[in-house]
Amino acid sequence: MPTTSLQIPTADGQADAFAAFPDGGGRHPAVLMYMDAFGVRPVLKDMARELAGHGYYVLVPNLYYRHAPAPVTELPEHIGEDARPEIFARVMPLIEAHTTERVLRDADAFLTFLAEQPEVAAGPIGVTGYCMGAALAVRTATAHPGRVAAVAGFHPGFLVTDAPDSPHRLVPELTAEVHLGLAENDLTPEAREELDQALDAAGVRHSIEVYPGTVHGFTMADTDAFDPDGLRRHWDRLLPLLDRTLSRS
């Protein structure tokens, strides 16, 4: 499985990133994978390799590149519940600095980079994200409706907020198919209903599913939140979504 560390030119500097793609040459549909709040680390690279093994060029950018290359903050090998408050105290300023304007500038750069790679097939791409990355996936898809055909978000954060540009208010711009896999505590029933109604009103093909018995962060094997059944369900939903929306020609 070829993998590479690389630098992506953006309007604000060089973003370090990780990419994985299938053996054997050729061109493959691209998937932009947005990290969770803890950042690019071995567990995300493993997930990128897993996805690449199904026939995709997977790009995992360090969204905190304006502050430092990954790993931006020191993390334990396993993130236990007792470590989360101190880690979040360090990463929250990074999250807050990653404004919508920065998200959209970065998305432009990431999609431009993907279009230029010899291993990437022409045609639409998929975008998937975890935790805060789910909201970034939606923002990327609404800003680039002609390029993004699939959006997936797992244990999402910041999808339904009071802000005028909350992601759920942008869904009329979506042309992608959407799947959202929620932990049981990710959205209130009211917020979930508001999001579902917005997607319905926009005519977006979508599914919103609560994964039974999960808590926020369930896909991440290096945390106490990890749930093997939740991760398996994530692959069972993500892979068919990408298969039916992304061309392999």
Side-chain angles (χ1 to χ4, degrees):
M1 173 72 60
T3 62
T4 184
S5 297
L6 43 82
Q7 298 286 322
I8 301 174
T10 79
D12 299 325
Q14 296 287 318
D16 55 301
F18 175 84
F21 45 93
D23 290 310
R27 297 164 70 90
H28 313 280
V31 178
L32 174 59
M33 180 182 285
Y34 281 126
M35 66 193 209
D36 65 354
F38 295 139
V40 179
R41 59 198 192 281
V43 68
L44 278 173
K45 294 180 179 181
D46 288 344
M47 293 172 74
R49 292 186 187 95
E50 173 77 16
L51 184 53
H54 292 274
Y56 299 98
Y57 181 104
V58 185
L59 180 68
V60 189
N62 169 27
L63 303 179
Y64 301 149
Y65 70 89
R66 293 173 180 86
H67 306 274
V72 178
T73 188
E74 184 177 350
L75 297 171
E77 185 173 333
H78 182 85
I79 302 170
E81 284 301 311
D82 57 340
R84 290 174 71 92
E86 190 272 332
I87 294 172
F88 269 110
R90 285 188 270 126
V91 301
M92 279 307 298
L94 307 179
I95 296 171
E96 291 166 355
H98 200 60
T99 62
T100 299
E101 292 75 16
R102 288 183 169 185
V103 170
L104 296 179
R105 288 202 301 273
D106 285 352
D108 290 346
F110 300 153
L111 268 60
T112 296
F113 175 85
L114 286 170
E116 295 171 347
Q117 300 315 296
E119 302 89 358
V120 172
I125 73 165
V127 186
T128 185
Y130 303 87
C131 181
M132 68 175 193
L136 274 57
V138 173
R139 291 194 185 281
T140 298
T142 56
H144 298 273
R147 289 287 312 281
V148 180
V151 172
F154 300 94
H155 41 87
F158 311 110
L159 277 180
V160 180
T161 75
D162 293 331
D165 67 342
S166 171
H168 81 286
R169 303 186 199 280
L170 306 177
V171 296
E173 305 301 320
L174 277 174
T175 58
E177 183 179 344
V178 176
H179 174 74
L180 299 172
L182 311 181
E184 292 187 345
N185 59 342
D186 278 330
L187 288 177
T188 65
E190 294 77 16
R192 181 184 171 190
E193 182 178 2
E194 186 173 0
L195 177 58
D196 193 45
Q197 288 178 349
L199 290 161
D200 278 338
V204 175
R205 183 178 179 184
H206 69 281
S207 57
I208 303 175
E209 182 179 358
V210 176
Y211 291 12
T214 60
V215 298
H216 185 76
F218 60 81
T219 63
M220 297 296 153
D222 62 348
T223 74
D224 279 356
F226 178 59
D227 184 285
D229 290 338
L231 178 62
R232 190 175 306 113
R233 188 182 296 255
H234 145 278
W235 290 121
D236 289 346
R237 301 298 185 267
L238 177 59
L239 294 173
L241 169 66
L242 298 176
D243 189 55
R244 65 178 170 261
T245 56
L246 303 187
S247 170
R248 295 180 181 276
S249 59

